Amino acid sequence: MSTDTPGIDPLEALRAPRDPACDVFLTGPVFLDIIFTGLDSAPVRGTESWARGMGSSPGGVANMATALARLGLRTALAAAFGDDHYGEYCWDALEQGEGIDLSMSHTVPGWHSPVTVSMAYEGERTMVSHGHEAPAPAPVAGTSAGAAGTSAGAAGTSTGAAAPVFPQCPPRARAAIASLAPGRSEPWVATAARDGALVFGDVGWDETGRWDLDALPDLAHCEAFLPNAEEAMRYTRTDCPRAAAHALAERVPLAVVTLGAEGAYAVDGRSGTAAAVPAIEVEALDPTGAGDVFVAGFVTGTLADWPLADRLAFAGLTAALSVQEFGGSLSAPGWAEIAAWWQLIRTCDRQDPAALERYAFLDDLLPTTARVWPLRRAVPTIGFRQ
């Protein structure tokens, strides 16, 4: 990240000397995403399809880590990286290109990077993935704490005690993002919550078909739970996303239900406050990573202590901006993109003043110049020689 023109720090007014150095911690698998764009239709069996565009970028949990970092949050990621060229590329793109702290990540000798090929057409995507679960890192005597292995491209070690095995020892952080799955409990989640982190629970489709909230043990440690409408209704046995949000707010302090083209709805279980924000109409090119960007926007607003409706509006805006570009982590917007949108939308004819007022809180946040946060972002291909 460039140090000549620093980016916006949304938590600047709240920072104190004894605060944790890390704003958000997360962990999970990192994929190499290869995205084919400009397809007129889905590939047909027995034929060859040519795409008009292509991009490559770190994917998987890297989508959310990148979205958080581009919004100015100090982000730490613990992940396994293959020791192939793909892994080296992803490590460099995240650490050098996005400024993400990878000190708790490690490279696995002889393990190849998981790969996803995504084909975007008609506003949707079709994906094919391949990978193997990475072996757990073991404590290595003489390795710096939190880095049980060698970083991609650099075999740096320091003397000292054996490194703790992740994920039992996450760093102290303001927030952590946990991927909840039925029947699975991650010990680090309870540790993070006990150390003061606000835990935001993300969730995927329940392949077991049970849709039982009691099967998500780490939900008890969450400050917020962020399912989509279908997931929320199935978990709560309701037929209305808003009713589902209110039911979930009895289990977690903050229930946030994304409604796709209809926006999002949230309920603060402590105060009983509810907020609804409509979606921003955009031309969607590729929805890859939009959900991750939404979570990153909501986490940013929560840590900055914004009103609930502003958090929802900001999360929806960042997600809307991301679907107008191709790729997951490549499309995550930073403050410069948000500022450009805000400047443009106010000059468009026939804008509803009431709708614009919803985003008036941006005036106190955004840069006044067109580009104040230059990043050396991930190059949309692999292996260009310098």
Side-chain angles (χ1 to χ4, degrees), residues 20-123:
C22 175
D23 291 331
V24 187
F25 170 77
L26 66 167
T27 183
V30 172
F31 285 69
L32 171 73
D33 282 356
I34 302 173
I35 305 101
F36 290 108
T37 66
L39 291 166
D40 296 321
S41 61
V44 177
R45 184 176 61 180
T47 68
E48 181 179 16
S49 299
W50 279 83
R52 290 187 291 272
M54 188 205 79
S56 302
S57 64
V61 71
N63 292 337
M64 193 175 295
T66 299
L68 291 162
R70 289 185 181 180
L71 292 176
L73 298 184
R74 301 168 184 174
T75 304
L77 170 64
F81 289 78
D83 66 349
D84 50 13
H85 288 310
Y86 291 173
E88 184 176 357
Y89 162 80
C90 289
W91 186 294
D92 180 68
L94 295 173
E95 184 178 59
Q96 302 300 321
E98 306 294 349
I100 295 168
D101 178 3
L102 298 182
S103 61
M104 291 198 71
S105 293
H106 63 286
T107 296
V108 181
W111 180 69
H112 75 77
S113 301
V115 176
T116 291
V117 174
S118 177
M119 292 159 281
Y121 53 89
E122 298 175 355

Side-chain angles (χ1 to χ4, degrees), residues 8-376:
I8 291 175
D9 180 358
L11 308 185
E12 182 177 11
L14 302 176
R15 297 195 186 279
R18 295 187 179 182
D19 285 347
C22 175
D23 291 331
V24 187
F25 170 77
L26 66 167
T27 183
V30 172
F31 285 69
L32 171 73
D33 282 356
I34 302 173
I35 305 101
F36 290 108
T37 66
L39 291 166
D40 296 321
S41 61
V44 177
R45 184 176 61 180
T47 68
E48 181 179 16
S49 299
W50 279 83
R52 290 187 291 272
M54 188 205 79
S56 302
S57 64
V61 71
N63 292 337
M64 193 175 295
T66 299
L68 291 162
R70 289 185 181 180
L71 292 176
L73 298 184
R74 301 168 184 174
T75 304
L77 170 64
F81 289 78
D83 66 349
D84 50 13
H85 288 310
Y86 291 173
E88 184 176 357
Y89 162 80
C90 289
W91 186 294
D92 180 68
L94 295 173
E95 184 178 59
Q96 302 300 321
E98 306 294 349
I100 295 168
D101 178 3
L102 298 182
S103 61
M104 291 198 71
S105 293
H106 63 286
T107 296
V108 181
W111 180 69
H112 75 77
S113 301
V115 176
T116 291
V117 174
S118 177
M119 292 159 281
Y121 53 89
E122 298 175 355
E124 278 296 341
R125 79 272 173 106
T126 298
M127 296 185 291
V128 178
S129 298
H130 174 73
H132 305 279
E133 186 173 354
V140 179
T143 304
S144 59
T150 304
S151 67
T157 59
S158 62
T159 58
V165 177
F166 181 81
Q168 282 76 10
C169 302
R172 184 166 164 259
R174 294 172 183 267
I177 299 175
S179 180
L180 308 183
R184 189 185 73 193
S185 178
E186 299 286 353
W188 73 266
V189 176
T191 302
R194 186 168 55 250
D195 289 344
L198 299 178
V199 179
F200 294 76
D202 194 10
V203 71
W205 191 258
D206 185 357
E207 299 292 347
T208 71
R210 293 175 57 198
W211 298 101
D212 181 6
L213 286 172
D214 291 330
L216 303 176
D218 289 333
L219 187 63
H221 306 296
C222 289
E223 168 73 11
F225 184 46
L226 299 98
N228 64 32
E230 185 66 23
E231 294 159 350
M233 290 188 292
R234 287 177 179 266
Y235 271 119
T236 58
R237 309 297 192 270
T238 59
D239 57 5
C240 169
R242 296 191 178 206
H246 284 275
L248 290 172
E250 298 176 3
R251 301 287 296 261
V252 290
L254 275 172
V256 183
V257 177
T258 56
L259 309 175
E262 298 180 14
Y265 186 78
V267 178
D268 185 329
R270 294 190 180 101
S271 66
T273 303
V277 174
I280 297 173
E281 293 185 10
V282 296
E283 180 182 356
L285 296 180
D286 182 6
T288 303
D292 296 329
V293 174
F294 181 95
V295 173
F298 190 81
V299 169
T300 300
T302 300
L303 294 183
D305 200 25
W306 298 347
L308 183 57
D310 288 354
R311 299 182 222 172
L312 276 188
F314 184 74
L317 169 60
T318 54
L321 293 178
S322 76
V323 303
Q324 296 181 91
E325 302 290 341
F326 288 109
S329 61
L330 283 176
S331 67
W335 288 104
E337 289 84 2
I338 296 168
W341 173 84
W342 183 231
Q343 292 170 7
L344 174 65
I345 202 70
R346 287 183 295 177
T347 61
C348 292
D349 295 335
R350 299 185 300 278
Q351 284 297 323
D352 181 359
L356 288 178
E357 185 64 24
R358 171 63 271 159
Y359 298 92
F361 69 94
L362 294 174
D363 281 331
D364 295 330
L365 297 168
L366 295 175
T368 56
T369 57
R371 189 69 178 173
V372 301
W373 190 8
L375 296 171
R376 187 177 70 82

